[in-house]
Every structure is written in structure tokens, then in C-alpha cells.
Amino acid sequence: MSVPSYNPADPTDLVVEVPAAGADGVAAAVERARAAQPGWLGAGAAARSAALDRAADAIAGHAGELAELVLREVGKPLSEARGEVARTVAILRYYAQAPYAATGAVHETAAGAGLLFTKRRPHGVAGLVTPWNFPLAIPVWKLAPALAVGNTVVLKPAPEATACALRLAELLDLPADVLTVVPGGAVEGSALVAAADVVSFTGSTAVGGSVVRTSAERGVPVQAEMGGVNAAIVLPGADVEQAAAHLAYAIAGYAGQKCTATSRVIAVGDTYQPLREALGKALPAVESGPVISEAARDRLVGAIGSALAGGALAVTGCQVPDRAGWFIEPTLLEGVPQGHPLLGEEFFGPLAVLLPAADLDEAVALANGNRHSLSASVHTADLDAALAAADRLAAGMVRINAPSSGVDFHLPFGGSGAASYGAKEQGQAALEFYTASRTVSLLPAGTA
């Protein structure tokens, strides 16, 4: 069985086609990684740090090539593709320092002589299942901390990002079996989750739930990032033009194919009409790109059609351009009927709904009314209101006067409720997730 990957802007363009690893191939890759892991850990902090630094240099040296590949394989606009490559380099340089970090602490014994200390150690083989929308950055923000602390890695990328994952592994040029890419789909993902010693997943809610259950049954540490139905709140007194610019990018940048994209815009009080007008102008100007597949576009078109049939109105967008590729205009709807899937499900496209709220209390209640609370943004000139909203919103990340779609790679990343499960990603949180803490009591010989 093969794994093909096509250009979503030109579906006749086959980017790559490779054999699927199969369940047996995944199991073999995990066993090779497990055999290589003691040597990778035993090489020491300096060797792991140097390897990640060299990897960063390699990515930086091929930045133009990689940006073009991201553009071609997943349809990301070139400016965003270049930004993703730069972020990938920065992530590798950040985690290249992690091997030197303290792995534990020394404590006083409860009584008498001896040594009591904690020490964090790697789990073994990290199984990573990654999506297509950030085909370089997401694999790297998982694999870099895993490698830094001494795990080996088996990576199962989304089929739509196969070429990016294979080229990434080539450029990282790590020792044999320290990093292995296993192309494939559900069969390979399931096999990896069933064999790895620690699992990190980013993808859909349905698949993520299965990953969590399988890992829990095996007693394996797991983190699952399952997307968000993210809200933006615009309060009276906000700079409406600036807010509209931020929101337009958060709704339609890279065709809304980010788990932190804004899908619900909540206008408080008298901001509704001016914000509606500003977004109607700002959204069509966003460099959006295609969605990943025909099926993804059809789902968006169907959702828009059913909302309009139910009484919603189009502020802007809704049309499918007459061109090759899986494009759809950036779209904003108002008056979407209660209970419609657009208010509760992640559609992963350049599409948002505009909602009114009488005050901050109602706005927060609307934002928190969905359990997929990954990221939220608040737009206001009132510091008290900003702090109150940040304290009350359920989202794992709250951004004030900024798009919901920004991520700081050195800080914890993850949501609440159904958006995420397990430990946070990135920063110090990632280093802790990919290790287990041991408590060691060392007492003098002959102690009773």
C-alpha cells in the first residue's frame, strides 16, 4: 500500500508517493529505536546538544527549499511557510540547551545520614503522531524536547505532509534509529500508539480519544492536542480597525487551518455594527490559500449552506472561486441558528460566526459554552476588563489585543476541556512530559 500526497492548490500535482510502513514496519522501527536509545542517552548532554544545534543549522541552510515544499505540499502561503521554517530553527536552538538543564534536586533526609535526591530519566521511545497543518514546526516541537532528554523518536506524520516529514528527517541527520519516520495512515498511527513508551498526538477529537484510551490502558504517558473552537471577544472602546485586522488573520490566515484559529467572534454592546463592517472589509484581503482537500472544502460548503438555509446571513465570503485547487472565500456569517454545528464544532477552514453579547459576563459565558477551549483573544483598551476576562475564560491560552492564532514556543501550549488531554506541550512542560521522575534514597552501608 502506498501513501500519496498531492498539492492542494493543484490536485494534479503529486508531491510524493511512498510505501506505507504497515503495522509490522512500525513495530520494527520502534524496536530499532528502543535498541538505539541507551546509546543516545549515554552519549551525554554535549552530544545531544550539538546534534540539535547541527539540525538547526541544517534547517536554516535549506530554509528556502523547505518553505517552497511547505507551500507545495500543504498549501501554506509562502510568507507563513517561511515563518514556520524560522520557528522550526528557533525551536531546535531552544531545546539544544535543554540537555544541560538540571534533571532533579537534592533533599535533606528525614533523619540520619544519607543522600536523598530526585532524577528525571527518559521514557525510552517517543511515538509522535502529527498533523499536516504545521508539517515542520509541530513534529519538531515534539521531537526536539524528546530527543534533548534522551528518548529516541518514531514519527508518524499525516499522509498529507509525508514529503515534509521525510525531508525534515533527512536534514536533521541524527544517528541511526534515533529518529525514524513511518509513513502511513490510521493503521500505522494505531501501531505506533500500541508500541511506544510515551505518546504525543495532535489531530482530531475522535482519533485523539482513541489514542488516549489505548495509552491509558497500556499505562503509557500520553498528551493529546485535539483542536479548538476558539472565541474572540471585542469589548466597547477597543480599536475596532486593529481588532478586525487581528481577527481577519486569525479567521482566514492559512485558510483557518490552525487549531488556534478564531471561529467565533463575540461583539459586546455597540461594537457589533462597526466590527461587522470592519471585518467585511478586512477578511477578503487576507492571503488565505486552499484548504487541504476536496473533502475539507465540501464540508465547509455544506456547513455554510445549511446555516444559510437555517436563517443565517453572509457578511462576506461563502463563494468557491472558479480556479484549480481546493479554495473557498474567507467567510463570516451572522445569525447562525442555535444548535448549528458551526457554533460547536471545529471546521478547520476560513470561516467564523459573528455573535452579539450585551456585556462581558454574557461574552465570557458564550466563549466558555464550548468545551474545546484552546485559545481565546480579547480586544479592549480597558486593563481591568482585560484582566477580568483573562481570569474568567476557560481557554488554555488567552491573548489580549492579539490574534488567537499566535503561539510562543517556549511557553506551555494546550487547552482545557475537550481541547487537550494530559500534559502541556512546549517549553519546560515538554521536558517534564518526556521524562519520569525517580526518587533515590542512598543510605550508608550497614544502615538498619
Side-chain angles (χ1 to χ4, degrees):
M1 188 172 179
S2 65
V3 183
S5 177
Y6 291 90
N7 180 346
D10 178 6
T12 65
D13 176 22
L14 178 63
V15 181
V16 72
E17 186 168 9
V18 297
D24 290 344
V26 172
V30 170
E31 287 309 306
R32 293 194 303 272
R34 189 165 286 124
Q37 190 269 329
W40 174 245
L41 175 64
R48 298 196 302 277
S49 176
L52 292 174
D53 258 333
R54 288 193 301 270
D57 290 342
I59 299 299
H62 292 79
E65 169 205 336
L66 288 170
E68 292 287 349
L69 180 58
V70 170
L71 167 66
R72 182 184 174 204
E73 186 168 35
V74 301
K76 184 167 287 192
L78 188 57
S79 60
E80 290 209 31
R82 288 170 174 158
E84 180 174 349
V85 174
R87 175 178 293 185
T88 301
V89 173
I91 292 168
L92 286 164
R93 296 209 190 284
Y94 173 80
Y95 285 112
Q97 303 308 306
Y100 293 110
T103 60
V106 177
H107 300 263
E108 289 292 327
T109 60
L115 179 61
L116 183 62
F117 64 94
T118 60
K119 188 171 186 177
R120 302 196 72 87
R121 305 299 286 169
H123 294 289
V125 179
L128 312 180
V129 181
T130 59
W132 48 263
N133 60 328
F134 286 86
L136 303 178
I138 291 181
V140 166
W141 87 38
K142 293 178 187 290
L143 68 83
L147 293 169
V149 296
N151 298 280
T152 50
V153 167
V154 178
L155 168 65
K156 206 297 288 183
E160 299 88 346
T162 299
C164 286
L166 292 172
R167 185 60 178 140
L168 176 67
E170 287 177 351
L171 290 173
L172 296 189
D173 193 27
L174 293 160
D177 300 321
V178 168
L179 169 63
T180 305
V181 176
V182 286
V187 168
E188 288 74 14
S190 297
L192 182 55
V193 172
D197 301 312
V198 58
V199 173
S200 182
F201 166 87
T202 299
S204 70
T205 300
V207 178
S210 176
V211 168
V212 168
R213 287 190 294 273
T214 298
S215 300
E217 288 170 359
R218 296 181 57 227
V220 168
V222 59
Q223 59 184 190
E225 166 53 51
M226 296 173 282
V229 183
N230 307 305
I233 296 173
V234 182
L235 292 165
D239 183 327
V240 170
E241 295 299 322
Q242 181 191 66
H246 288 163
L247 292 172
Y249 172 74
I251 293 166
Y254 186 30
Q257 296 173 125
K258 303 174 183 179
C259 56
T260 54
T262 295
S263 57
R264 295 176 296 150
V265 178
I266 302 169
V268 179
D270 60 8
T271 63
Y272 188 94
Q273 191 60 34
L275 182 63
R276 180 186 186 278
E277 294 174 3
L279 280 172
K281 296 175 183 177
L283 264 174
V286 176
E287 185 181 14
S288 186
V291 294
I292 194 64
S293 67
E294 184 177 19
R297 190 180 68 179
D298 288 349
R299 183 170 184 253
L300 290 163
V301 170
I304 291 168
S306 69
L308 294 175
L313 299 174
V315 177
T316 188
C318 299
Q319 301 302 310
V320 173
D322 184 15
R323 59 183 295 188
W326 312 124
F327 292 87
I328 185 170
E329 290 180 345
T331 297
L332 182 67
L333 301 177
E334 64 180 350
V336 173
Q338 289 293 321
H340 192 276
L342 284 176
L343 297 174
E345 299 176 16
E346 183 181 45
F347 275 81
F348 231 53
L351 170 62
V353 298
L354 180 62
L355 303 167
D359 52 28
L360 179 59
D361 289 342
E362 184 179 358
V364 169
L366 283 170
N368 289 347
N370 188 289
R371 294 192 65 248
H372 291 81
S373 297
L374 177 58
S375 180
S377 66
V378 180
H379 304 265
T380 180
D382 184 336
L383 178 60
D384 289 345
L387 292 174
D391 190 52
R392 295 169 58 192
L393 286 166
M397 296 176 292
V398 179
R399 294 170 57 82
I400 309 298
N401 295 322
S404 65
S405 53
V407 174
D408 297 299
F409 64 79
H410 57 296
L411 294 177
F413 174 85
S416 64
S420 301
Y421 180 91
K424 303 292 188 184
E425 296 197 81
Q426 306 191 144
Q428 181 63 32
L431 300 174
E432 293 175 0
F433 172 70
Y434 289 110
T435 55
S437 181
R438 299 175 181 172
T439 299
V440 180
S441 301
L442 180 59
L443 303 179
T447 302

